[in-house]
Amino acid sequence: MSFDVQGLDGRTSAAMRAILDLEDDAPDELLEVLPGGTVPFWAQVRIQISWALSAEENGSVEVARVSTWNRWSEAKRVARGYLPSRWDAVRRARHHELCFYVAGGTLVRDGARVRNWLVDDFADASEDGIVVQLRPLPSSMGRPMFRPTMSMEASVARSRWRARGKGPAPEFTRSADRLLAAFARRLNQPPEAFAAIGKRAVVNEALRPFLLEELQRMLERMKPKIVVYDNGSYTYNGESIGLMKDHGAYVVEPQHGWIGPSHAAYNYGRIFADPSLRRALPDELLTFGSYWSNSIRHPGKTTVIGKPHLERQAASVPSMRPRQLLVVSSRTEPQRTDAFVVGLRAAVGSEWSVVFRPHPGELAETEERYPLLAADAGVLIDRAPDVYESLKQSAVVIGEASTVLFEARAFGCCVIARDSSFAENVIGDVFGDRVRDVAETVRRLERLRGDETVAASADPTIWAPGSVDSFSNWLSQRLGVEALR
């Protein structure tokens, strides 16, 4: 496997290039802070704007969200938020030098408990760590493996109650609309292109002050020296990142998935050298390997650590596995993918079993987004929480642009990449020539040798070995630096 880690421009999408050019031009609008804020409004909406531009370029279809809100469930949520709870991070957390602040969705079963594969191995290696997740505890999968693990759910419920009937100042709404129109103009979009983003920003602004008050209370009790912040580079988290820095924390982000030159959360133009925007980003990014570190334009420091969950799981790959094709979704062009999977199943017949794995963001809407394959009894929909269990049972993995393709190689799977503009910007020719249709895919399958589907090969530039030891060494050095501050 060969990787061109230098040609960032050649692997940068048009949408990402437009944002980088705008940030290199550095117009004053990008630095404007709206009433009540501490970071520029551009940071709050930048990622959503990039998604809108990318959807237009790549054919990504947003997953339909059906609201499940009702007064009774909201009342119960608020009541739980005010009742004593062992999981309440704001009220129960004590002093910890190291805080892992995570969403709480990166979970796998480990015996009778649940492991957060993103951070639990690192937390186990620390002497004074705590995991704080946004999602409720215990999860539907069970109680957390690492202790202490706490949740921000109660604080979110309290914030929602306090924010009821309130909204941002009229000046915020007017300024947000004005800036979004200016951003659209500079990005050669219609004036109302980002109007929906503005409506969401207004809703979020009503809740934000109360969420930050709760977070501040937790930080005052915990006094962390280091915060490992999941998704920290997604700049809509910028106010939280800034508050953590105000409390003296060094903020780092653990890589959780694919990053590259077309990912807006990890590529920034020159204007992010300005302290007001730099405040919205982590100080450091901990990556899976040097390939990823060299594939981004991030103003923070990058350090190679690795991925312990992959190391552990790849070590238990079976010597033989069934002739199973695993097709992974990237959320782009769902109708095209739907037809491809059904056509592939018909073409391979009984020689291969065909499994389709939706993107995590599609799970709840899989049948609606992919009606043809959902109705095909010959296609199994993979809902296993841990994709690595699926990789262990798959000889071939097929997809457009996903971290799973890189992970599949480490598990000894043959990888067949599908062609699209999205794949061109994300993976390029890393996995050889990309197939354009079912017929080309079948021809590639016919050329496979048996040994191509069993020999695991974890490229150390992609998946650095010894991740837990690397983290422990990094943490010791980082705490030493913090002690001298």
Side-chain angles (χ1 to χ4, degrees):
M1 190 188 307
S2 62
F3 299 91
D4 175 16
V5 297
Q6 303 302 324
L8 296 187
D9 289 341
R11 293 189 288 137
T12 301
S13 67
M16 187 71 252
R17 173 48 57 196
I19 290 177
L20 291 173
D21 288 345
L22 173 60
E23 291 175 342
D24 286 343
D25 289 343
D28 290 341
E29 292 100 326
L30 299 191
L31 296 176
E32 186 168 339
V33 180
L34 298 194
T38 61
V39 299
F41 184 65
W42 172 246
Q44 295 183 34
V45 298
R46 178 186 190 272
I47 298 297
Q48 295 93 323
I49 288 175
S50 76
W51 289 340
L53 297 179
S54 295
E56 182 179 323
E57 179 182 0
N58 299 318
S60 178
V61 177
E62 187 175 0
V63 177
R65 301 293 183 185
V66 178
S67 175
T68 59
W69 185 93
N70 62 67
R71 291 183 182 275
W72 177 238
S73 62
E74 183 70 7
K76 290 193 294 183
R77 183 182 189 185
V78 170
R80 286 194 297 267
Y82 280 96
L83 291 173
S85 170
R86 60 176 292 192
W87 308 111
D88 190 336
V90 174
R91 293 179 169 178
R92 298 294 299 273
R94 60 173 180 81
H95 172 64
H96 289 274
E97 287 190 324
L98 175 63
C99 174
F100 296 87
Y101 195 81
V102 299
T106 49
L107 304 178
V108 293
R109 293 189 185 277
D110 192 332
R113 292 189 177 268
V114 178
R115 176 181 293 276
N116 188 314
W117 60 256
L118 183 64
V119 299
D120 274 9
D121 291 278
F122 299 144
D124 284 334
S126 66
E127 294 183 0
D128 189 27
I130 181 173
V131 174
V132 175
Q133 69 175 50
L134 297 180
R135 295 189 181 187
L137 283 171
S139 77
S140 59
M141 295 172 61
R143 293 176 178 267
M145 172 74 71
F146 179 79
R147 298 178 183 177
T149 295
M150 294 186 177
S151 170
M152 295 297 287
E153 164 62 16
S155 69
V156 173
R158 292 191 292 267
S159 297
R160 288 169 64 91
W161 177 252
R162 294 173 63 197
R164 71 193 188 285
K166 297 181 175 65
E171 177 58 27
F172 177 92
T173 303
R174 289 193 295 268
S175 297
D177 290 342
R178 171 177 54 81
L179 286 176
L180 286 167
F183 300 156
R185 183 178 65 254
R186 290 186 177 276
L187 291 167
N188 298 315
Q189 298 293 309
E192 297 298 315
F194 306 138
I197 296 173
K199 292 179 181 177
R200 290 194 293 270
V202 170
V203 172
N204 293 337
E205 181 61 19
L207 186 60
R208 181 186 62 81
F210 303 105
L211 292 174
L212 290 179
E213 285 180 17
E214 294 277 354
L215 178 60
Q216 178 160 319
R217 289 176 58 199
M218 187 194 78
L219 293 170
E220 288 170 349
R221 293 173 61 93
M222 190 181 296
K223 297 180 174 61
K225 293 181 179 178
I226 299 173
V227 176
V228 180
Y229 196 126
D230 176 19
N231 289 323
S233 292
Y234 287 73
T235 50
Y236 48 68
N237 293 316
E239 292 283 354
S240 299
I241 296 282
L243 184 60
M244 291 172 177
K245 292 181 178 182
D246 290 347
H247 281 265
Y250 185 81
V251 182
V252 303
E253 178 183 359
Q255 182 180 351
H256 66 273
W258 178 83
I259 61 177
S262 293
H263 196 315
Y266 302 95
N267 292 270
Y268 295 89
R270 284 193 292 268
I271 200 168
F272 268 84
D274 187 276
S276 66
L277 281 170
R278 190 66 189 84
R279 169 185 167 81
L281 287 174
D283 300 295
E284 188 169 353
L285 182 65
L286 308 181
T287 68
F288 296 149
S290 59
Y291 169 75
W292 309 101
S293 297
N294 295 330
S295 294
I296 58 177
R297 310 169 182 88
H298 196 285
K301 180 180 180 181
T302 58
T303 300
V304 171
I305 294 294
K307 188 174 184 179
H309 183 52
L310 180 136
E311 286 187 73
R312 181 171 50 251
Q313 287 282 61
S316 61
V317 172
S319 58
M320 298 295 293
R321 65 186 85 185
R323 291 176 68 80
Q324 175 171 292
L325 305 176
L326 179 66
V327 183
V328 295
S329 168
S330 295
R331 293 179 63 168
T332 58
E333 300 181 286
Q335 289 183 332
R336 176 172 170 262
T337 296
D338 198 19
F340 173 84
V341 173
V342 171
L344 180 64
R345 201 279 310 164
V348 299
S350 60
E351 186 176 356
W352 293 88
S353 60
V354 177
V355 177
F356 175 71
R357 185 174 181 86
H359 185 278
E362 298 176 315
L363 272 174
E365 307 294 333
T366 299
E367 284 76 12
E368 290 76 11
R369 285 171 69 85
Y370 302 99
L372 298 179
L373 67 85
D376 192 325
V379 178
L380 176 67
I381 297 177
D382 179 18
R383 300 181 183 275
D386 191 354
V387 68
Y388 293 168
E389 295 300 332
S390 303
L391 292 180
K392 290 179 185 179
Q393 299 302 316
S394 301
V396 178
V397 176
I398 303 170
E400 279 185 72
S402 170
T403 320
V404 177
L405 302 184
F406 294 89
E407 293 167 322
R409 277 291 178 87
F411 280 76
C413 306
C414 172
V415 175
I416 299 177
R418 295 176 61 205
D419 192 31
S420 71
S421 60
F422 188 41
E424 181 177 0
N425 292 326
V426 173
I427 62 172
D429 60 356
V430 165
F431 301 104
D433 294 338
R434 301 186 298 273
V435 297
R436 292 169 293 183
D437 52 32
V438 169
E440 288 188 4
T441 305
V442 171
R443 287 196 290 272
R444 185 75 63 84
L445 290 171
E446 291 172 345
R447 295 200 301 267
L448 287 183
R449 303 189 310 273
D451 60 355
E452 287 184 89
T453 64
V454 294
S457 55
D459 189 316
T461 67
I462 307 298
W463 311 109
S467 52
V468 173
D469 287 342
S470 295
F471 179 83
S472 297
N473 293 335
W474 171 87
L475 180 61
S476 177
Q477 295 174 11
R478 188 68 249 170
L479 286 174
V481 170
E482 294 305 304
L484 296 175
R485 290 175 61 181

